[in-house]
Amino acid sequence: MPDIILKKIISSYLNINSAIITLVTIGLITIITIVAYSLERRIRKTSPFYRRATVHIFEGVVLGFSMVMLQQIFHILNNGSVNGGGLYANAQLTILLYCMYLIRNKITLLINICMPFLYYSSMNTERMNNKDLPLFLISYLFLVAIVAFIYWQTDNLQNSEWKYTIMQVLFGLSWWILLWVDHDFPLIEIINMLIVFLIYMTIIRFCAKKLQETMIDYNDLQTQVNYDELTGVRNRANLDKTTQEIFSTYSHEKVPLTIAMFDIDHFKEFNDQYGHSIGDEVLKHVAHTMEREMFLTDAKGQLFRFGGEEFIIIFRGKTPNECKPIVIDLRNALINTPLFINGQKLDITISFGVSKLAAQDSSFKDLFNRVDQYLYKSKNSGRNRLTVEGNTFDFEKP
């Protein structure tokens, strides 16, 4: 019997189509890994919900796209036939299981749970009267249990080789029983498919592990270099790099470029009265509120932490007059989203300075110095104010 299984594997999988599918699967895994690590480095547990949700939804879309892409390539290679479908199915199962380990969010969990009802003829209502319906339901519930366990125990599974292997076997077994109910192939094929699935997972895991190690090192370096550890927004180093890149463009174009600089009024008092930990919460609250509001209103501004309690927003293609109502909306969003610490409401206000890149500016330093002067003009005028090109406005007065 083992000889028969081995011959079956060799004849079914050691051919040009299997090589193409394997390479495509590795390619899709590579794309998924790069996308996941590129997106995940932009969010943290402290990131606003809308930002985390957007990233997770996009990761789910990438996973779904990979499933469709693999299906289309398989049908092209087989001229629309489902012959040799075990190869294609194992490739998809490999991606599904790999993403369970890599992308740890509820979107991936939901896709894994719903996938049996999207697979081949799984939505065939004739099964409801089929004698194999109980076996399908039992196998499906078993799959859901395995998927849920993998989702909640990913770290423990990855740290134990034998647990990882057992979960692979159980995941593949539950899937192939489900497919057997729909396609009624010989039961011995389940063993065949499981062996190939484990081989696939071994190859993919080796390739992905090397890729992940490279991506982790790169993303850690990128995060440290470009993003503020406390607030999660772009940092001073990222700002310096960005301004160097865009100055040469906007200084010679008629397209406007506007800078808004703001800081938190009386920030030192938060640290002195409540402690530096509360001061950190104030900084995070202000940064997250600004990012969320710009995202929801499509303000198209880039937020940077300039240093201490000072932040900068770069608006590309907008004049100061166009930025004025945006800044007012940002300030009002902060006022309407108070921060509560231990049941106590903290009143947080900010002051702004706004100016655009002028033809006489020899560098961004000239623009920064001017915006900084406008910011201090707002503060010296009583704080909680906005100065646009030298004209100061009180936020509290229309």
Side-chain angles (χ1 to χ4, degrees), residues 104-274:
R104 308 176 193 180
N105 62 54
K106 291 182 174 60
I107 301 296
T108 307
L109 176 66
L110 183 63
I111 291 175
N112 267 272
I113 291 175
C114 294
M115 198 65 185
F117 298 101
L118 304 175
Y119 212 93
Y120 286 126
S121 57
S122 291
M123 286 302 291
N124 190 345
T125 56
E126 292 180 1
R127 188 206 290 110
M128 301 307 295
N129 298 318
N130 192 298
K131 60 182 179 63
D132 294 322
L133 176 61
L135 181 57
F136 173 84
L137 294 176
I138 293 172
S139 300
Y140 176 70
L141 292 176
F142 181 60
L143 174 64
V144 171
I146 294 298
V147 167
F149 184 81
I150 292 173
Y151 176 78
W152 294 111
Q153 299 294 324
T154 296
D155 291 330
N156 293 333
L157 295 175
Q158 289 183 333
N159 293 331
S160 175
E161 195 66 35
W162 69 271
K163 289 182 180 178
Y164 188 93
T165 303
I166 290 175
M167 282 301 104
Q168 287 181 166
V169 173
L170 294 177
F171 180 85
L173 180 63
S174 58
W175 256 108
W176 278 111
I177 292 176
L178 285 171
L179 295 176
W180 170 73
V181 172
D182 273 338
H183 296 282
D184 195 28
F185 47 75
L187 285 174
I188 192 65
E189 285 293 309
I190 292 181
I191 299 177
N192 177 10
M193 301 304 181
L194 276 177
I195 292 174
V196 175
F197 174 64
L198 292 176
I199 293 173
Y200 250 84
M201 282 302 301
T202 301
I203 296 173
I204 295 300
R205 190 182 182 194
F206 175 80
C207 297
K209 186 176 181 180
K210 296 301 180 183
L211 179 62
Q212 287 179 35
E213 289 174 354
T214 302
M215 290 298 298
I216 288 173
D217 292 341
Y218 174 78
N219 284 334
D220 286 345
L221 178 61
Q222 286 291 96
T223 299
Q224 294 173 13
V225 170
N226 293 305
Y227 289 85
D228 179 56
E229 183 178 1
L230 176 64
T231 62
V233 302
R234 297 173 180 85
N235 60 16
R236 177 69 177 271
N238 190 285
L239 173 66
D240 292 340
K241 183 172 65 175
T242 301
T243 54
Q244 290 175 8
E245 292 173 352
I246 63 178
F247 177 76
S248 59
T249 299
Y250 285 88
S251 60
H252 300 293
E253 298 288 340
K254 295 182 179 180
V255 179
L257 180 75
T258 298
I259 300 294
M261 177 183 286
F262 70 90
D263 76 0
I264 302 170
D265 295 331
H266 305 293
F267 178 73
K268 186 175 182 297
E269 295 182 7
F270 290 110
N271 285 329
D272 294 342
Q273 183 175 351
Y274 302 103

Side-chain angles (χ1 to χ4, degrees), residues 84-95:
L87 175 71
Y88 154 63
N90 271 325
Q92 283 205 325
L93 298 188
T94 299
I95 292 178

Side-chain angles (χ1 to χ4, degrees), residues 3 17 21-22 35 60 106 130 133 145 170 187 194 232 249 282 294 299 318:
D3 292 339
N17 283 1
I21 289 293
T22 301
V35 170
K106 291 182 174 60
N130 192 298
L133 176 61
L170 294 177
L187 285 174
L194 276 177
T249 299
V282 171
M294 284 193 290
K318 294 184 182 296

